[in-house]
Amino acid sequence: MITLHLARYTISLAPLIALEEAGAAYDLRWVDFKAAEQRAPAYLAINPKGRVPSLQTVRGILTETPAILAFIAQSFPEARLAPLGDPFAFAQVQALNCYLASTVHVAHAHRARGSRWADDPAAIAELTRKAPEVVTQVFELIERDLPAEGWAVGGAYSIADAYLFTLAQWLEGDGADVAKLPKVLAHRERMRARPAVIRALEIEKG
């Protein structure tokens, strides 16, 4: 059995969507960030990084969203959540997922979690001030290559769509200039219409 450790309104929505798309049998373990459960010994024994998501499998625990998404896609090939038979096409999906993890998510974190990078209140305030500009810029690179219709990479729906959708949910909260991102917004609306996404959003609400 797969167990997904997740928190509400975090990036862990992406693997939850992927599990729903795959029709997987899975359990959920909610991590309460308001109660700082991600820093409690019980959770740190699962993920010493103190982050979500974490995925418990029969072979061990996986962390990091791109790795978890790839595992889901490869574990349920019949769901066709990635072009597994084409190494280059799969690498393209992973390239977008790595960019989302290393750049887009980090830009978002500067708004509310500046203390990860600075101690000086003035420096933290500057990170927060600049976050809307930076988030807009990193999404503009996605906007440039995103198709006007369909899905993010190679025309077929993939785990990259779930990841992109989750981050795009936060655009307005980050103060991004969404007028510059019409294709990203259109993609977000297409995602919201998918049955698996609807189910995942209902699960997230609790």
Side-chain angles (χ1 to χ4, degrees):
M1 177 67 76
I2 292 173
T3 299
L4 177 65
H5 297 260
L6 72 170
R8 288 182 167 84
Y9 310 114
T10 68
I11 202 63
S12 53
L13 175 63
L16 177 59
I17 291 171
L19 288 168
E20 283 293 317
E21 293 280 7
Y26 64 90
D27 287 331
L28 294 178
R29 295 290 183 270
W30 294 97
V31 181
D32 186 349
F33 276 25
K34 290 182 179 179
E37 287 182 356
Q38 75 274 23
R39 294 193 292 273
Y43 186 66
L44 291 176
I46 295 165
N47 184 350
K49 300 168 187 173
R51 304 281 177 88
V52 293
S54 302
L55 193 73
Q56 285 185 290
T57 78
V58 294
R59 294 186 60 184
I61 297 170
L62 291 171
T63 64
E64 303 301 326
T65 303
I68 291 171
L69 289 173
F71 174 83
I72 294 169
Q74 291 172 317
S75 297
F76 302 93
E78 67 281 357
R80 299 188 179 186
L81 295 179
L84 302 177
D86 184 333
F88 183 81
F90 185 62
Q92 287 181 308
V93 169
Q94 290 297 80
L96 177 53
N97 283 349
C98 290
Y99 178 70
L100 293 171
S102 66
T103 302
V104 180
H105 197 177
V106 173
H108 158 78
H110 277 69
R111 177 178 62 85
R113 297 187 176 90
S115 59
R116 289 179 181 173
W117 296 278
D119 295 316
D120 183 351
I124 294 172
E126 177 61 13
L127 290 170
T128 302
R129 184 200 67 78
K130 194 171 177 61
E133 175 189 340
V134 177
V135 170
T136 302
Q137 288 174 347
V138 298
F139 266 98
E140 282 184 300
L141 284 174
I142 297 171
E143 175 77 15
R144 183 190 66 186
D145 296 328
L146 197 65
E149 298 180 356
W151 305 113
V153 183
Y157 182 85
S158 75
I159 48 176
D161 293 292
Y163 205 172
L164 174 58
F165 168 75
T166 300
L167 287 160
Q169 291 273 88
W170 307 338
L171 281 167
E172 288 84 356
D174 286 339
D177 186 352
V178 295
K180 295 181 177 180
L181 307 170
K183 290 189 290 185
V184 171
L185 297 185
H187 176 271
R188 189 171 70 178
E189 290 308 305
R190 289 193 293 277
M191 286 293 295
R192 286 175 176 166
R194 290 182 70 86
V197 175
I198 293 169
R199 292 194 300 271
L201 290 173
E202 286 299 315
I203 292 168
E204 185 181 52
K205 287 179 184 178

